[in-house]
Every structure is written in structure tokens, then in C-alpha cells.
């Protein structure tokens, strides 16, 4: 279907390598476009166990499927280039969104050098899936309007000015990737940045994975022990945010967009502006 007939003596133009966000774990959280590419692909290179289920579920029976877990970057690019010479559609499946902690550019550069066309299909990041699992909003009017995606320093050094302590000083929402084994560093940085020991922190393990998701709610003071007790040591998102727990708040500044006194492009105000800020019953 997808393999091209090669006219004798002529090298065909290579197929396209698509970097597709597979989503956070639940195979149904891939985009419609991403799933269509997986279904058409003659070859799929997936990233570890996280996205194997998606690859297997939607791929053609004759699709060449490989796991990049044990490969070096050079082996991965060589595999993708070889498959693109053979198939019109090649997919590199990545967890969440390919543009976050996914070595996207390291893989795109050798393909560019080899003249292989590429495309990127965004995915649902685990940051979004974790907020959804916990029924949390990462932004709230008059609380914080900013979200920082970051990590703490492990083997990958943090660039100047990006220590968690410096970022936490904004007191906005922090979605902390790749750091569950460094929880002590996370809570120390929040404390040093002036977060109260009672400030809420939520950890979501395997967000969206059917039957495997775990949500641990705690505070700066308690979250490390709670995660240890829940035996959570991998594949987890740490969210620290002044918005956490807002579902239970009795007072909430509501979004102006839906306020009856607010006129915008699609709706005229129906009540006077004094009621802009309201308390929930
Ligand atoms: N590109 C991915 C991130 C890859 S880095 C994305 O957009 O989500 C791997 C880190 O992502 C893990 O250490 C963990 O912090 C987070 N992660 C990936 N899948 C997750 C999931 N289902 N639940 C919680 N965190 C997850």
C-alpha cells in the first residue's frame, strides 16, 4: 500500500518521517491526525513501553515496528532514513508532545542532512493529562495566569537562571517533569523560594493509563513521604500551583469571558459591570 514501486535506475524521493505525539499513555489520547499517520505508516519507531500500545493498536499488520529503547541517536536516525527510502510514511512515535523533553531536534537534524522530509504532529502532553486527571486548572483568574514547564537538575544541567528556586519565585503554576526521584530537591527549592509548607502539591503517576493512574495530593511538607508510601518512583508529573484544590473553594474570581457584565466580540453584556467579581454560593 505504502511502499513505492521503484522505476529501474531511478532512486525514489524519500518518504516523510512524521514525529507524532502519541499522548500521555491512553491510546485514545493520540490526535486524529496522528492516528491516521500511524494507520498509514509502513514503519514506526516508538519510544519505549509508554507508546507501544498505541503503535500496536493502530498500525497495519505489515508495518515494521521497532522500539528505540536500546538504540543510540545514530542508530535511530539510520533506521528512520532507511525506512524512508522504502516507505512513503514513517512515524516516530513519542510520548506526550514531541516538543517537550523529546530529543526532537537531535533527530530532525540528521534527517535534514539526509534530505528526508519531516513533519511534526503535536500530542497531548502529560502535563495536560495530569491536570485533567486531577480535575485541576493550571490557570485561574486573579490567582495565576502563568504555567512553567520545567524539571530539576539531574544529569542534564539547568541553564543559567532556570533553577527551580528561581522559577518558583514567580509563585505561578509549575509542571515539573522528570523529577519524581528528586522530590527532595523539588520541595527544598519551593521552600527556598518562599512557598509555605502547607502549599498544595499534586503528583500524578501514569496519567491517563487505564487502570494504572495514581493521584497523590499533599503539601510541600508532606508530598515526598506520601509518594514514597505510594511507591511512586517513575513516570510522574509534579504540579505545584496556587490553583490546586480550587474545585473545593467557596470563593472564586470568575473568568471575565463568561461574566454577564462583560462584552466581547461574540456577546453583549447583559448586566451592569459592578458584579464583575462574584463569590460562589
Ligand atoms: N514529551 C513528554 C515528556 C517526556 S519526558 C510529554 O509531553 O509529556 C518524560 C517525563 O514526562 C516523565 O519523567 C514524567 O515526568 C512525564 N510523563 C510522561 N508520561 C506521563 C504520564 N502518563 N503521567 C505522568 N507523567 C508523565
Amino acid at each position: 500500500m505504502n511502499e513505492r514501486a521503484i522505476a529501474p535506475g531511478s532512486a525514489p524521493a524519500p518518504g516523510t518521517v512524521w514525529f507524532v505525539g502519541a499522548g500521555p499513555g491512553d491510546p485514545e489520547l493520540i490526535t486524529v491526525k496522528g492516528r491516521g499517520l500511524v494507520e498509514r505508516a509502513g514503519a514506526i519507531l516508538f519510544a519505549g513501553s509508554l507508546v507501544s500500545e498505541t503503535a500496536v493498536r493502530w498500525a497495519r499488520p505489515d508495518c515494521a515496528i521497532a522500539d528505540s529503547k536500546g538504540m543510540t541517536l545514530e542508530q535511530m536516525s539510520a533506521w528512520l532514513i532507511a525506512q524512508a527510502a522504502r516507505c512513503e510514511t514513517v512515524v516516530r512515535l513519542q510520548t506526550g508532545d514531541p516538543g517537550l523533553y523529546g530529543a526532537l531536534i537531535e533527530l530532525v537534524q540528521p534527517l535534514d542532512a539526509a534530505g528526508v522530509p519531516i513533519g511534526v504532529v503535536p500530542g497531548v502532553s502529560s502535563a495536560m493529562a495530569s491536570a485533567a486527571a486531577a480535575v485541576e486548572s493550571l490557570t485561574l483568574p486573579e490567582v495565576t495566569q502563568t504555567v512553567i514547564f520545567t524539571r530539576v537538575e539531574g544529569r542534564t544541567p539547568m541553564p543559567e537562571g532556570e533553577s527551580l528556586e528561581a522559577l518558583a519565585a514567580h509563585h505561578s503554576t509549575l509542571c515539573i517533569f522528570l523529577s519524581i526521584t528528586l522530590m527532595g530537591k523539588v520541595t527544598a527549592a519551593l521552600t527556598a523560594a518562599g512557598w509555605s509548607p502547607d502549599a498544595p502539591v499534586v503528583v500524578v503517576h501514569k496519567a491517563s493509563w487505564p487502570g494504572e493512574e495514581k493521584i497523590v495530593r499533599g503539601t510541600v511538607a508532606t508530598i515526598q513521604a506520601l509518594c514514597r508510601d505510594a511507591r511512586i518512583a517513575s513516570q510522574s508529573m509534579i504540579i505545584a500551583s496556587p490553583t490546586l484544590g480550587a474545585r473545593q473553594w467557596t470563593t472564586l474570581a470568575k473568568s471575565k469571558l463568561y461574566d454577564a457584565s462583560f462584552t466581547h466580540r461574540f456577546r453583549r453584556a447583559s448586566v451592569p459591570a459592578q458584579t464583575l467579581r462574584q463569590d460562589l454560593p
Side-chain angles (χ1 to χ4, degrees), residues 135-157:
V135 194
E136 296 289 355
S137 179
L138 300 181
T139 62
L140 276 180
E142 298 178 29
V143 179
T144 183
Q145 295 287 285
T146 303
V147 183
I148 296 174
F149 288 172
T150 190
R151 60 175 298 173
V152 290
E153 186 159 300
R155 274 180 299 178
T156 305

Side-chain angles (χ1 to χ4, degrees), residues 33-123:
K33 180 162 185 164
R35 177 176 160 179
L37 287 163
V38 167
E39 286 169 347
R40 282 203 299 285
I44 298 174
L45 183 63
F46 69 89
S49 62
L50 274 166
V51 290
S52 59
E53 168 67 16
T54 306
V56 173
R57 185 182 289 201
W58 312 118
R60 286 167 18 197
D62 62 337
C63 178
I65 299 180
D67 184 351
S68 61
K69 201 166 46 200
M71 294 185 183
T72 62
L73 210 61
E74 290 70 27
Q75 288 167 334
M76 286 161 71
S77 53
W79 194 89
L80 292 169
I81 291 165
Q83 297 301 326
R86 203 177 63 80
C87 321
E88 241 163 63
T89 305
V90 177
V91 165
R92 162 66 178 158
L93 256 190
Q94 304 202 206
T95 57
D97 182 84
L100 287 170
Y101 309 104
L104 173 68
I105 301 304
E106 289 102 304
L107 272 176
V108 166
Q109 283 186 347
L111 297 176
D112 281 346
V116 175
I118 68 110
V120 181
V121 178

Side-chain angles (χ1 to χ4, degrees), residues 23-26 50 94-102 123-127 129-130 176-180 204-209 234-238:
D26 180 348
L50 274 166
Q94 304 202 206
T95 57
D97 182 84
L100 287 170
Y101 309 104
V124 175
S125 172
S126 56
S130 297
I176 308 169
F177 292 71
L178 295 159
S179 302
I180 191 67
V204 184
H205 172 69
K206 289 196 167 183
S208 87
W209 282 53
S234 66
Q235 291 172 32
S236 301
M237 179 63 51
I238 306 164

